[in-house]
């Protein structure tokens, strides 16, 4: 079945378009899973899309297909009208920022905060024999860190591996958006944090997305965050979208609406 997902208000240009996507895992084996069959998704420039769904629903695979860490079987993916399906993951990282569930994946633990930020700022630039860390940029890095309100601006030379999970994830969020990007991918980026740190990171996420007007796709298991943040909400089930609510329609929803849909799906599949 074709699943067509488009902005409810019909405004703005489509920044991301996934068309006629097909993806099968373990083809030809007893573990074969046909996840996507003619799946379509359009994301309007400036949208903050929250994606929820049970395990195996396809929500994380959408992120992996967009970022290039999982190849397409067929279909096309365009960003700003340019086909990106043939680009490798590192090539797409020049215009797609990604924050992972594991705080250790978005930063280099053995390097200092200063060195991590310098590396992030040099993303996409040609390599040469110049110094990797421009210490004259330290004041700029401090200004950026001040926005986190975590006291990291006074700890530029601290090794990132010594930070708490919440601090490290906040830093990963900051450095993933230091250079201009077309799309921000949030891959369950609060799932590994304690409740207080999760709230802090989500507030920072909302602040950064609004300030930079970033088109954002966030996968989360936290229904409260899915309802509270963003201006569009998708619920995935078995490779299809069973809820697509944007703007006023999303604002009128609450967590009970999502729980009721989850319960309805559970009854349909016999759970």
């Amino acid at each position: 079945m074709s699943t067509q997902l488009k902005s409810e208000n019909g405004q703005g240009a489509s920044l991301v378009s996934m068309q006629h996507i097909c993806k099968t895992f373990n083809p030809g084996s007893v573990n074969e899973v046909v996840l996507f069959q003619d799946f379509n998704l359009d994301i309007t420039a400036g949208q903050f899309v929250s994606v929820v769904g049970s395990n195996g629903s396809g929500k994380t695979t959408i992120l992996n297909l967009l970022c290039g860490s999982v190849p397409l079987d067929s279909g096309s993916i365009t960003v700003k009208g340019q086909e990106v399906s043939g680009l490798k993951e590192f090539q797409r990282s020049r215009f797609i920022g990604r924050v992972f569930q594991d705080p250790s994946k978005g930063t280099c633990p053995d390097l200092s905060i200063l060195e991590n930020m310098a590396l992030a700022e040099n993303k996409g630039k040609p390599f040469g024999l110049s110094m990797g860390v421009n210490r004259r940029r330290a004041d700029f890095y401090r200004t950026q860190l001040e926005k986190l309100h975590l006291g990291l601006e006074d700890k530029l030379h601290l090794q990132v591996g010594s930070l708490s999970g919440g601090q490290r994830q906040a830093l990963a969020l900051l450095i993933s958006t230091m250079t201009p990007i077309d799309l921000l991918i949030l891959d369950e980026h609060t799932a590994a944090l304690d409740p207080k740190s999760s709230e802090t990171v989500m507030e920072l996420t909302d602040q950064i997305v609004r300030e930079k007007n970033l088109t954002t796709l966030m996968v989360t298991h936290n229904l409260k965050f899915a309802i509270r943040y963003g201006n569009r909400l998708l619920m995935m089930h078995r490779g299809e979208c069973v809820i697509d609510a944007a703007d006023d329609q999303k604002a009128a929803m609450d967590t009970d609406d999502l729980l009721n849909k989850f319960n309805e799906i559970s009854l349909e599949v016999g759970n």
Side-chain angles (χ1 to χ4, degrees):
M1 180 184 294
S2 175
T3 306
Q4 187 67 33
L5 313 180
K6 291 190 177 180
S7 173
E8 293 291 323
N9 59 17
Q11 297 178 354
S14 178
L15 185 136
V16 176
S17 185
M18 304 177 73
Q19 295 297 314
H20 309 297
I21 301 299
C22 295
K23 182 61 189 178
T24 298
F25 290 95
N26 307 310
S29 74
V30 294
N31 296 317
E32 178 177 292
V33 175
V34 180
L35 183 57
F36 290 133
Q37 287 183 293
D38 198 25
F39 174 79
N40 300 281
L41 169 64
D42 287 298
I43 301 174
T44 302
Q47 279 191 327
F48 183 165
V49 186
S50 298
V51 186
V52 297
S54 58
N55 292 335
S57 63
K59 58 188 187 301
T60 300
T61 301
I62 291 174
L63 305 189
N64 288 332
L65 290 171
L66 282 170
C67 292
S69 48
V70 168
L72 287 173
D73 291 343
S74 62
S76 69
I77 299 174
T78 60
V79 178
K80 296 179 72 173
Q82 300 298 311
E83 177 66 48
V84 301
S85 305
L87 297 181
K88 296 185 181 299
E89 188 172 8
F90 78 89
Q91 293 172 311
R92 299 190 207 188
S93 70
R94 294 169 183 167
F95 53 87
I96 297 177
R98 186 171 187 174
V99 184
F100 296 87
Q101 176 178 338
D102 184 352
S104 67
K105 287 189 176 181
T107 53
C108 299
D110 295 330
L111 300 181
S112 68
I113 294 175
L114 173 66
E115 291 165 333
N116 270 269
M117 296 185 75
L119 283 175
E121 194 175 25
N122 286 322
K123 184 178 74 171
K125 296 180 181 179
F127 293 101
L129 297 177
S130 60
M131 294 293 291
V133 177
N134 184 351
R135 297 186 182 276
R136 289 176 294 181
R137 296 287 287 164
D139 287 340
F140 169 74
Y141 299 151
R142 289 190 185 95
T143 300
Q144 297 301 303
L145 290 166
E146 284 174 355
K147 298 177 182 179
L148 303 181
H149 303 292
L150 296 174
L152 298 181
E153 62 272 14
D154 298 321
K155 301 176 181 177
L156 278 179
H157 299 288
L158 191 67
Q159 199 173 54
V160 167
S162 66
L163 300 179
S164 69
Q167 289 175 320
R168 195 162 173 179
Q169 199 68 309
L171 180 62
L173 177 65
L174 178 63
I175 65 178
S176 71
T177 59
M178 281 185 67
T179 55
I181 54 175
D182 296 317
L183 178 66
L184 175 62
I185 296 288
L186 304 172
D187 188 358
E188 298 187 48
H189 70 310
T190 64
L193 307 179
D194 62 77
K196 183 177 179 181
S197 296
S198 295
E199 293 281 355
T200 298
V201 169
M202 272 310 309
E203 289 171 3
L204 289 171
T205 299
D206 191 52
Q207 174 186 324
I208 289 173
V209 168
R210 289 176 182 273
E211 286 180 354
K212 300 193 175 187
N213 192 30
L214 294 172
T215 304
T216 303
L217 189 62
M218 176 180 76
V219 165
T220 180
H221 280 292
N222 190 313
L223 301 186
K224 181 177 67 174
F225 289 164
I227 289 291
R228 183 188 303 173
Y229 296 101
N231 51 20
R232 184 178 175 190
L233 186 146
L234 307 179
M235 179 183 284
M236 299 297 300
H237 176 60
R238 290 184 172 178
E240 297 186 2
C241 179
V242 294
I243 291 178
D244 182 0
D247 303 319
D248 292 342
Q249 185 182 359
K250 178 184 182 296
M253 297 183 71
D254 58 29
T255 54
D256 286 340
D257 295 318
L258 300 183
L259 287 170
N260 290 338
K261 191 63 178 179
F262 270 121
N263 291 334
E264 179 185 323
I265 289 170
S266 294
L267 289 174
E268 288 177 359
V269 298
N271 291 335

